[in-house]
């Protein structure tokens, strides 16, 4: 058991969605290697005696730059365990989130579902992103 109370579901709020349709750059798309890229970022914004406040960002894009780019930004508030109040500080919270990515499972499930719903409108390319933290390459 750590600082974050994983038994309590976090409060998640959508802050921003940025969807940029890029289209197809040319007709010879079938002869190119196209890579789907996913980059996640977690920023510990603040904390108090009861909660830690995070911003979660997922970017979805292709190389070469084609189809669309998506950015989803969420605010996430996790309840803290009272048992560890004495050791509570920003460094310890950041370390726990970095080392125990499964804490982010509820957030990753929501963002994956949201991106799937957004891209489902496009008959050509629906994307279901994995509900796992994706390190930026």
């Amino acid at each position: 058991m750590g600082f974050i109370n994983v038994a309590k579901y976090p409060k998640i709020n959508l802050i921003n969605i940025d969807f940029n349709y890029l289209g197809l750059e040319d007709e010879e798309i079938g002869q190119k290697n196209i890579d789907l890229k996913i980059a996640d970022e977690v920023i510990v914004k603040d904390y108090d005696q009861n909660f830690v406040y995070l911003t979660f960002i997922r970017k979805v894009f292709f190389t070469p730059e084609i189809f669309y780019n998506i950015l989803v930004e969420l605010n996430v508030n996790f309840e803290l365990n009272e048992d560890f109040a004495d050791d509570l500080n920003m460094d310890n919270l950041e370390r726990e989130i970095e080392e125990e990515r499964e804490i982010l499972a509820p957030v990753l499930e929501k963002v994956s579902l949201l991106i799937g719903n957004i891209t489902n409108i496009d008959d050509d390319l629906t994307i279901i992103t994995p509900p796992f933290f994706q390190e930026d390459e």
Side-chain angles (χ1 to χ4, degrees):
M1 185 158 90
F3 296 103
I4 295 175
N5 186 345
V6 293
K8 299 277 187 157
Y9 198 81
K11 180 175 171 51
I12 302 171
N13 296 103
L14 178 63
I15 299 304
N16 184 37
I17 294 177
D18 186 23
F19 180 93
N20 291 316
Y21 180 75
L22 303 172
L24 300 174
E25 67 181 37
D26 61 45
E27 295 299 318
E28 297 179 15
I29 192 68
Q31 298 177 13
K32 291 186 178 186
N33 288 331
I34 300 171
D35 292 320
L36 171 66
K37 302 288 186 177
I38 302 169
D40 292 337
E41 181 180 6
V42 177
I43 303 163
V44 180
K45 302 295 268 183
D46 200 5
Y47 70 94
D48 59 30
Q49 64 186 20
N50 299 315
F51 294 94
V52 59
Y53 307 98
L54 311 176
T55 297
F56 178 85
I57 300 167
R58 174 165 280 187
K59 297 175 187 173
V60 178
F61 55 97
F62 297 87
T63 57
E65 194 171 73
I66 197 166
F67 302 126
Y68 44 74
N69 294 328
I70 302 171
L71 178 137
V72 175
E73 185 176 356
L74 306 171
N75 269 352
V76 183
N77 302 340
F78 280 102
E79 191 171 310
L80 295 173
N81 287 315
E82 297 172 2
D83 301 342
F84 298 95
D86 294 342
D87 296 327
L88 186 62
N89 63 49
M90 192 67 83
D91 289 337
N92 286 341
L93 286 167
E94 288 173 346
R95 187 176 313 108
E96 181 172 333
I97 292 165
E98 179 71 29
E99 293 174 358
E100 299 181 37
R101 293 290 192 199
E102 65 274 6
I103 290 169
L104 298 172
V107 179
L108 294 164
E109 291 164 2
K110 290 256 187 193
V111 78
S112 179
L113 182 61
L114 180 60
I115 291 170
N117 283 325
I118 292 167
T119 60
N120 188 46
I121 197 71
D122 188 338
D123 290 333
D124 297 327
L125 192 60
T126 299
I127 300 293
I128 306 297
T129 59
F132 308 108
F133 192 87
Q134 304 294 304
E135 300 288 342
D136 195 9
E137 297 176 0

